[in-house]
Amino acid sequence: MFLEAIYHRPQDQYAYSYDENTIHIQLRTKKQDIETVEIIYGDPYDWNHSTWNAVTNKMNIAYSDQFFDYWFIAIHPPFKRLRYGFLLSNESKSCVYTEKGFFEQPPLDDTAYYFCFPFINSIDVYKPPKWVENTIWYQIFPERFANGDPTLNPKGTVEWEQQEPTPTIYYGGDFKGVIDHIDYLVNLGITGIYFTPIFKAFSNHKYDTIDYMEIDPQFGTKETFKQLVEECHKQGIKVMLDAVFNHSGYYFAPFQDVLKNGEKSIYKNWFHIHDFPIQTKPIPNYDSFAFEASMPKLNTENPEVKEYLLNVGRYWIKEFNIDGWRLDVANEVDHHFWREFRKEMKKIKPDIYILGEIWHDAMPWLRGDQFDSVMNYPYTDNALRFFAKNEIGAIEFIETLQKYLHMYPRNINHILFNLLGSHDTPRIMNIANFNKEKVKLLFAFLLSTPGTPCIYYGDEIGMTGEQDPGCRKCMVWDEDRQDLEMLEFTKKLIQLRKQYPLLGNDGEFILFDANNTSNHVSYIKRNEQEQLLVVFNNNDTMQDIPIPLNLKDKTIIDLCNEKEFAAHTNKISVQLAPYSFTFLLCKA
């Protein structure tokens, strides 16, 4: 028994309040080392004379990765408090694991030995905005979506699509263009728009803000933006804006004052300046985003900066009724600021969605006091490596997916912002080496896994493009040059996700089959009434894939072609063409 591999801590994904009556407990052990795990638990104040009244319950392996097994159980403590430990056994040994170490027998003379979950306080229970888990997001880069009002065009604007994008080119996309195409988004099935920055800025990408309180004039006026939000809300579409609070732009008035007045500037402490005079080359002598001189880092520990940015957050919610904030470079801003940001935004609109841009394990930001969710780039990377790039096989894909599904508490998974691409990544068609069937597999995966899925504008019509600026091409509105078959396919998947809750966040998610030789993957979504089987053939040959479930005499519906059939034997299989998939629904 490898005791050194056993791990638990009474917080984060290892112990958390799932709801006001339930505690989820997770334990890690070496893979295939432990045969059984029982949790020993009870109320810390429940005693029979000098003996603690503890009970035991069996835990099950929720998932395994390359090195470890992860055991899970849901406990419903009647008085909302818990002391607990673990009884671990294999064929040669058993032991008890507690906060104070390992014992041969459960010590029942003092609960201080045991891990402690003191109390399920309602205010500490993670309560995300309910609307988010049923939202289908669409990311719009406003400068490139549609030009609805040419009178707003910046100087030097080129004709739509007539030149390849560059870091400095303008095409004139604006709010009127979005308003003109809301019907397209409704028809696609979109229920949420994530806009990259819309505030006055120097660049075409707008991540170098000049004025956080003003709309960039190339997009329209505040009245036009208000109309856009109202039109979206009429159509059941939520609106999320991009908040760039890690850094400002070079032409932000306070930074210009520092450039002009140096050490005498009243704004010098708004930034992280190393020394004076200000220098921008070869690298700036002030902290900035990625050494970009045009993006000086804001000092969010400064009370004046903090209040200024909090006012920005308040203003756009109060005045324009936006539904979410996406927080750019969120991991480089101090935690204290984000805690205050959350409090202030939730005061105004309790169901505002607060989404952080974090590309790595984000648990420190997801403890209920900062963000509701993060952009799920680990999920993205795993999907692209398996389906698009052929860099990993089915088993590694499934092990990594399981790891990411258990990286955070389960109730957070339902609103993780799942994406395949964005303005910061090459187009998925390019990553998949222009294999449309692989892109379809990616969309099927995106729209059948837990989370809140996002489509980057144009991916649904097969747009291409390499890394920025190539991934920021103009949206193609000429139907003769759109991949209409891909568009209809995407619509169908979105419609299925809305029609069948098991394709979304309903039920338990179980990964159960992966094979490196056939390169297929299968998983189940299951509730008390139904189960949904999802099978992917990520292979260039036809595959006859066995289904290791007893489905005899059960009615099965193939959701992709709407055919219904009954299984007449215990052993069934599905035949899948190269790079194809199936969704099979049956009663539990």
Side-chain angles (χ1 to χ4, degrees), residues 17 57 86 129 163 242 263 265 269 274 408 443 460 475 555:
S17 49
N57 205 339
F86 306 95
Q163 296 183 31
D242 211 323
E263 286 189 90
S265 172
N269 292 323
H274 305 161
Y408 308 122
F443 273 125
E460 75 282 2
M475 177 68 176
T555 299

Side-chain angles (χ1 to χ4, degrees), residues 79-91:
F79 301 101
K80 300 189 176 185
R81 57 195 177 224
L82 200 65
R83 284 277 187 169
Y84 60 95
F86 306 95
L87 175 60
L88 304 98
S89 303
N90 62 20
E91 60 183 9

Side-chain angles (χ1 to χ4, degrees), residues 236-491:
I237 297 174
K238 303 286 188 179
V239 175
M240 179 166 63
L241 296 185
D242 211 323
V244 190
F245 291 166
N246 174 68
H247 55 270
S248 71
Y250 187 83
Y251 295 101
F252 182 49
F255 192 71
Q256 287 291 300
D257 189 273
V258 175
L259 289 171
K260 178 181 178 181
N261 297 307
E263 286 189 90
K264 295 180 180 179
S265 172
I266 62 173
Y267 296 106
K268 67 179 181 179
N269 292 323
W270 279 46
F271 307 93
H272 299 266
I273 300 170
H274 305 161
D275 49 56
F276 291 93
I278 295 289
Q279 297 177 3
T280 60
K281 295 179 180 179
I283 62 172
N285 64 343
Y286 49 89
D287 291 342
S288 63
F289 170 67
F291 299 116
E292 287 287 345
S294 62
M295 299 180 180
K297 182 174 174 62
L298 289 161
N299 179 11
T300 49
E301 296 177 41
N302 181 303
E304 294 176 357
V305 175
K306 184 185 300 182
E307 189 55 32
Y308 174 81
L309 296 177
L310 292 177
N311 274 333
V312 171
R314 296 181 189 111
Y315 174 75
W316 294 95
I317 298 173
K318 287 180 178 178
E319 297 298 320
F320 299 92
N321 196 26
I322 64 168
D323 305 288
W325 278 116
R326 182 264 189 185
L327 309 172
D328 188 59
V329 199
N331 58 339
E332 296 186 24
V333 177
D334 65 275
H335 292 278
H336 187 75
F337 174 81
W338 289 135
R339 291 185 184 102
E340 291 201 35
F341 182 81
R342 180 183 183 85
K343 287 179 183 177
E344 293 302 309
M345 300 310 109
K346 297 286 185 176
K347 280 181 189 175
I348 302 167
K349 194 168 188 176
D351 69 345
I352 192 85
Y353 181 43
I354 300 177
L355 172 71
E357 184 209 12
I358 296 179
W359 292 55
H360 52 82
D361 185 344
M363 195 66 245
W365 291 267
L366 293 173
R367 291 175 174 142
D369 59 345
Q370 294 173 70
F371 307 158
D372 292 313
S373 179
V374 291
M375 299 181 79
N376 199 2
Y377 277 108
Y379 166 100
T380 309
D381 179 68
N382 191 44
L384 294 178
R385 292 186 69 204
F386 176 61
F387 289 112
K389 301 178 184 180
N390 294 327
E391 289 182 350
I392 57 175
I395 292 175
E396 183 177 347
F397 167 74
I398 220 79
E399 287 180 344
T400 305
L401 178 58
Q402 290 181 101
K403 174 184 175 181
Y404 293 148
L405 284 170
H406 293 80
M407 182 181 289
Y408 308 122
R410 293 189 177 191
N411 39 12
I412 290 177
N413 284 342
H414 292 176
I415 64 166
L416 284 176
F417 195 84
N418 292 341
L419 65 163
L420 299 173
S422 73
H423 65 290
D424 287 325
T425 65
R427 291 276 180 177
I428 54 174
M429 187 63 76
N430 289 63
I431 296 174
N433 198 27
F434 310 101
N435 185 327
K436 187 168 80 170
E437 301 311 311
K438 280 181 165 288
V439 174
K440 288 182 177 181
L441 289 181
L442 283 164
F443 273 125
F445 176 68
L446 176 72
L447 290 160
S448 66
T449 43
T452 181
C454 180
I455 296 169
Y456 183 47
Y457 80 94
D459 280 351
E460 75 282 2
I461 56 170
M463 283 182 58
T464 62
E466 292 294 346
Q467 189 74 44
D468 169 31
C471 58
R472 301 176 182 181
K473 291 179 183 178
C474 295
M475 177 68 176
V476 176
W477 291 112
D478 179 0
E479 289 191 2
D480 290 337
R481 293 188 299 110
Q482 292 180 344
D483 188 332
L484 297 180
E485 193 268 339
M486 177 69 84
L487 179 62
E488 290 304 313
F489 170 82
T490 310
K491 286 181 188 177

